[in-house]
Amino acid sequence: MERNDLCWCGSGKKYKKCHMQIDDKLLLLAAKGEIVPDRSMLKTPAQIEEIKKSAELNTAVLDYVAANIKAGMSTAQIDNLVYTYTTEHGGIPAPLGYEGFPKSVCTSINNEVCHGIPDENIILQEGDIINVDVSTILNGYFSDASRMFCIGQVSERAKKLVQVTKECVELGLKEAKPWNHLGDIAYAINSHAQANGYSVVEDIGGHGIGLEFHEDPFVSYVTPKGSEMVLVPGMMFTIEPMINEGSPDFFVDEDNGWTVYTEDNGLSAQIEYMVLITENGAEVLTK
Ligand SMILES: [Zn+2]
C-alpha cells in the first residue's frame, strides 16, 4: 500500500493519514517478537458503526432484565424476557443454538461460574447472586456483556465478591489502551482479586467479538503484565473475568455439557464489558 492510496480500512482517508503509522509500528513490534493483531482483528469505521447498534440493543436487553429480575422468578422467565425483548427489537439472541446451547441467555447462580442454562425449575431465591450474560446479533453484528444481580438481601460475603468483581473489571478497563498488552489488563484484574483473597478462573476467558460471536484473540485474566497481544485502535474484545471466592478450579456439568461450577462449591461472580480500543483509550460498547 502506497502513502497516497486510500487506506485499507475503508475510512476514505489516505493511507499516510490513517493506518500507515500504526502498520509501521506493528511491523517493528512484530520484528521484536511481540504478538500483534493482524488486520482482520481491527474493525473498520463502517463495521464499528454497525457493531455499536448491536451493542446498544444488548445494553437495552440487560436493562430490561435489570428492571424485571426478582426473587420467585425462574431462570426460564429471564430467558423469556431476553428472547422477547431481543426479537421484538429486530435482534437474535446469539447464544440460542450456538454450538447446541438450548436457550437465549446464560444464567449462572452462586457457585455456577458461567454457562448456566435457564430452567423453569430453577427459581431465584432471596440471597442469590446471579450472572446474566446477554449476547445479541443485530444485522449480522455481534455484541456481548453480562451483569451480576443480587436478589433481595444477600450476605456480606456475596456482596463483597460482586463489588470486588466490578472493581476488577474497572481496573482492567483502565489498562485497555493502545500499545498496552492484554496481559496488562489481566495483571490489573488478577492482582486486585488476589489482594482481596479471591482467585481468577484460568482457561475460560474473554474473546474478540463483533463480526462473530467469538473471535481471536483469546483474552486471559491471569497472564503477566506486559505479556500477550499488543492493543491497537480498532480491536474489540470482552473484559469478563470470573472471580471465585475460593479456588479457581472448576468442573463442567456432565449431564448438560455446559454449566461450569466451582470445584470447592464456593461463590463465583463475573461481570463482562465489551470494549473497543480507541486512539486514546477504550470505549465500553455494552456493559
Ligand atoms: Zn485506515
Side-chain angles (χ1 to χ4, degrees), residues 7-11 15 18-19:
C7 189
W8 55 264
C9 76
S11 63
Y15 183 50
C18 195
H19 274 90

Side-chain angles (χ1 to χ4, degrees), residues 57-280:
L57 177 54
N58 198 71
T59 300
V61 176
L62 278 162
D63 289 343
Y64 186 61
V65 171
N68 289 284
I69 195 166
K70 57 176 191 283
M73 173 186 264
S74 73
T75 52
Q77 283 175 278
I78 299 172
D79 182 67
N80 190 43
L81 291 173
V82 169
Y83 179 82
T84 305
Y85 192 97
T86 305
T87 54
E88 281 179 357
H89 290 80
I92 302 166
L96 189 57
Y98 178 79
E99 291 184 356
F101 192 81
K103 297 288 183 178
S104 296
V105 62
C106 294
T107 50
S108 307
I109 302 178
N110 299 334
N111 64 328
E112 295 172 358
V113 176
C114 61
H115 303 161
I117 302 177
D119 190 307
E120 60 190 16
N121 296 314
I122 300 175
I123 309 295
L124 294 183
Q125 313 283 343
E126 172 106 6
D128 282 343
I129 57 170
I130 179 174
N131 171 275
V132 178
D133 194 340
V134 173
S135 316
T136 301
I137 311 170
L138 184 66
N139 301 325
Y141 295 92
F142 290 77
S143 53
D144 188 4
S146 79
R147 294 184 195 168
M148 289 301 296
F149 296 101
C150 294
I151 305 303
Q153 283 289 104
V154 305
S155 65
E156 285 306 315
R157 170 187 153 203
K159 209 181 285 178
K160 188 188 167 204
L161 178 66
V162 171
Q163 176 59 29
V164 169
T165 301
K166 175 96 178 164
E167 290 164 6
C168 283
V169 175
E170 289 288 339
L171 289 167
L173 177 63
K174 281 192 185 154
E175 299 298 322
K177 55 189 174 191
W179 313 112
N180 260 12
H181 292 74
L182 282 174
D184 299 325
I185 298 173
Y187 178 78
I189 288 169
N190 198 14
S191 41
H192 189 63
Q194 287 183 350
N196 283 279
Y198 299 144
S199 64
V200 179
V201 171
E202 302 179 23
D203 303 325
I204 314 175
H207 51 92
I209 180 161
L211 308 182
E212 312 220 24
F213 195 176
H214 298 106
E215 301 175 6
D216 286 335
F218 172 76
V219 184
S220 166
Y221 306 107
V222 294
T223 49
K225 198 173 173 61
S227 70
E228 304 297 319
M229 190 174 284
V230 172
L231 303 179
V232 175
M235 285 175 74
M236 243 179 225
F237 56 88
T238 61
I239 301 179
E240 53 170 320
M242 283 144 267
I243 312 292
N244 291 357
E245 61 173 354
S247 133
D249 297 339
F250 60 83
F251 67 95
V252 180
D253 190 307
E254 280 179 19
D255 295 326
N256 70 29
W258 282 101
T259 311
V260 178
Y261 303 90
T262 55
E263 184 79 50
D264 61 9
N265 206 34
L267 295 174
S268 184
Q270 179 180 29
I271 290 172
E272 175 179 22
Y273 292 2
M274 171 178 166
V275 302
L276 164 69
I277 300 297
T278 60
E279 274 172 29
N280 40 30

